[in-house]
Amino acid sequence: MVIGLVVHAGHRARFADAASTLTGVEFAWAVYEHEDEIRDLVAGLLRDHRPDGLLLGLVPYARARDLIPPDLPFSVTRSAALDLALAWARARGNGWPATPVSVDTFATETVDEVATALGLDRTAIATCPFDPDQPVADVVAFHRDQLARTGAPYVISVRMGVAAALDGQTAVLHALATPGTIRADLHELALRIRNKRADGQRFAAGLFLLETPDDRARVGLQHLLLNTPEFADAWIDQRGPRGVLVFAPASLFETVTHQWIGLPVLAEARDTLGVRAVAGFGIGASARLSVTLAERAAARAQQDADPGAYLFTGDGMTIGPMGASAAPLTYTYREHGGIEDLAGRAGLSAATLSRLAAVERGLEGRALSPSELARMLGITDPSGRRLIRKLTSADLVIETGSAQENRKGRPTRLYKLAITRALG
């Protein structure tokens, strides 16, 4: 397994320390000094190392998100409330007052939470939340304006470019993600990669449908699929007067569709057989569910003017349309338009947020604990708690109270997912 790491040169030692705890993983590094180097470095990393996953911070993600392949697992590491609290602790250790101070990158809600917990004067804390379109120069200008206005002895920043620009003018306390935070992100990413590989070995269903019933055309389509090299070991049979059903490992379908981008066999059916065909793929927990999902996906493909294909998965994600050629992939999600933008703001992958939306629908308004969410997603409890914190920062969960799961110990906080509301 190869995981790509996109980090600032000043952060490399911290990331290397966190990465040292993972076994069976190789790391490919893209290390930048200036933010304008990020895109070229990420493009080179993806081209030369073909990593199985990618870990990057807020700034690299904002600069290179469009370069990340749609099917590549990735995680966005961001500083948490604890990291901000530790920065204030270092300020007090230096004998500096907690306020006045200016803080960049952290969400206003996170600053509010930490300031309240530490009993700080919130009115004396100026914040500049992260904006992917805001250049470093604007963040530096924000701090300089606050320093001139308040005479504060230091600023709190997450961005190395800010620290370099303010060097010699004032002290800069870094509120960087701790090695523990990075370590948790790496372990969660490695688990997702392993789960993705396991999913690739699961059997999936593919249903190829003719536009109109035609026994001769259906037999021709079946022979075409039987003679497709990738389908050599697949189970192929008729499915009614219009369809041909294929069972094969999901990884095989990924190959045939060029990683769910296009389906050239549809063009071949049109050119050699003179028939219009569409396809639907389904990946579910059972063979029956996979076939049901493939039927629904094929029905969706029939609604398009041009022959194409869709993939429906059991956790609610849709990929498509996949055209007859390997045209650029279009991601859509059933009943969830705009989920990619929302995922980007939350620092999550669109696939993860889509899974969470499916979980929310299944809960039907019921609250759950971070541990229960972790079990439903197949991740560790610490990862579940971190996910809840990310969702809280993005206003995608609502705290509804607490429950005493065990007779001993502290009560567990309960949350309701609010993704559907945000999308609506």
Side-chain angles (χ1 to χ4, degrees):
M1 181 191 302
V2 178
I3 292 180
L5 299 174
V6 186
V7 302
H8 188 278
H11 300 171
R12 177 160 184 165
R14 184 176 296 232
F15 276 76
D17 177 35
S20 65
T21 62
L22 270 73
T23 59
V25 179
E26 296 181 10
F27 295 97
W29 296 83
V31 182
Y32 64 94
E33 287 280 358
H34 304 287
E35 293 182 8
D36 56 7
E37 302 170 351
I38 291 174
R39 287 186 62 83
D40 288 342
L41 288 170
V42 171
L45 185 152
L46 295 172
R47 180 186 64 248
D48 299 336
H49 298 278
R50 297 185 180 278
D52 301 295
L54 199 63
L55 182 73
L56 63 175
L58 274 175
V59 173
Y61 175 69
R63 291 296 184 96
R65 58 177 297 184
D66 60 306
L67 301 179
I68 302 174
D71 63 323
L72 183 68
F74 70 91
S75 289
V76 179
T77 290
R78 60 173 67 198
S79 298
L82 173 62
D83 306 311
L84 179 58
L86 290 174
W88 263 309
R90 289 194 297 274
R92 288 178 168 173
N94 291 335
W96 298 332
T99 59
V101 69
S102 53
V103 180
D104 69 55
T105 304
F106 286 93
T108 302
E109 295 79 6
T110 302
V111 177
D112 292 343
E113 175 188 350
V114 177
T116 300
L118 298 179
L120 305 181
D121 179 5
R122 182 63 181 86
T123 62
I125 304 171
T127 59
C128 180
F130 180 74
D131 180 348
D133 298 321
Q134 187 176 44
V136 171
D138 287 358
V139 183
V140 173
F142 157 76
H143 284 298
R144 284 176 174 160
D145 178 67
Q146 297 301 319
L147 289 169
R149 187 174 61 83
T150 65
Y154 68 99
V155 303
I156 296 176
S157 179
V158 176
R159 303 177 70 165
M160 297 299 289
V162 171
L166 294 176
D167 185 37
Q169 301 175 37
T170 189
V172 178
L173 293 182
H174 297 288
L176 305 176
T178 63
T181 298
I182 301 169
R183 188 176 301 117
D185 284 338
L186 280 172
H187 280 271
E188 180 181 355
L189 178 60
L191 179 62
R192 286 169 51 202
I193 294 170
R194 293 189 180 101
N195 288 341
K196 182 176 184 292
R197 287 181 173 178
D199 286 344
Q201 298 306 311
R202 294 168 56 191
F203 270 74
L207 180 62
F208 294 79
L209 282 182
L210 299 172
E211 185 175 28
T212 58
D214 185 327
D215 288 341
R216 185 175 179 179
R218 188 193 71 248
V219 172
L221 178 60
Q222 185 173 357
H223 286 166
L224 175 62
L225 296 174
L226 286 167
N227 291 321
T228 300
E230 293 85 356
F231 286 138
D233 296 323
W235 182 87
I236 302 176
D237 204 353
Q238 300 175 11
R239 182 76 171 182
R242 296 172 50 211
V244 177
L245 185 64
V246 180
F247 269 107
S251 56
L252 186 149
F253 287 118
E254 289 182 357
T255 301
V256 171
T257 61
H258 302 285
Q259 299 294 324
W260 309 115
I261 292 177
L263 192 55
V265 71
L266 295 179
E268 192 173 352
R270 179 194 61 212
D271 297 338
T272 62
L273 302 176
V275 299
R276 182 184 189 274
V278 299
F281 303 101
I283 302 177
S286 66
R288 177 176 294 181
L289 178 57
S290 295
V291 173
T292 299
L293 292 169
E295 290 174 337
R296 293 174 182 171
R300 173 62 184 86
Q302 287 182 299
Q303 299 175 22
D304 293 344
D306 298 322
Y310 281 82
L311 163 70
F312 283 7
T313 69
D315 59 8
M317 185 173 72
T318 297
I319 294 178
M322 292 173 263
S325 62
L329 175 69
T330 300
Y331 254 93
T332 57
Y333 297 82
R334 287 203 304 279
E335 303 171 7
H336 290 302
I339 203 167
E340 284 190 309
D341 291 338
L342 185 61
R345 295 197 297 272
L348 300 169
S349 71
T352 296
L353 200 61
S354 181
R355 290 184 67 194
L356 288 167
V359 168
E360 180 184 351
R361 291 196 302 274
L363 291 171
E364 297 180 341
R366 180 174 66 84
L368 79 172
S369 67
S371 295
E372 184 180 1
L373 180 62
R375 289 193 296 272
M376 298 178 77
L377 296 177
I379 59 178
T380 62
D381 279 5
S383 296
R385 291 192 292 272
R386 282 182 49 76
L387 180 57
I388 285 290
R389 287 197 292 270
K390 283 187 175 183
L391 294 172
T392 301
S393 297
D395 293 326
L396 297 179
V397 293
I398 302 170
E399 186 175 346
T400 60
S402 61
Q404 190 79 20
E405 295 184 346
N406 301 300
R407 294 182 62 186
K408 296 181 179 180
R410 296 180 178 179
T412 300
R413 290 183 180 180
L414 298 178
Y415 301 85
K416 283 187 178 181
L417 294 172
I419 298 166
T420 303
R421 182 193 65 178
L423 291 167

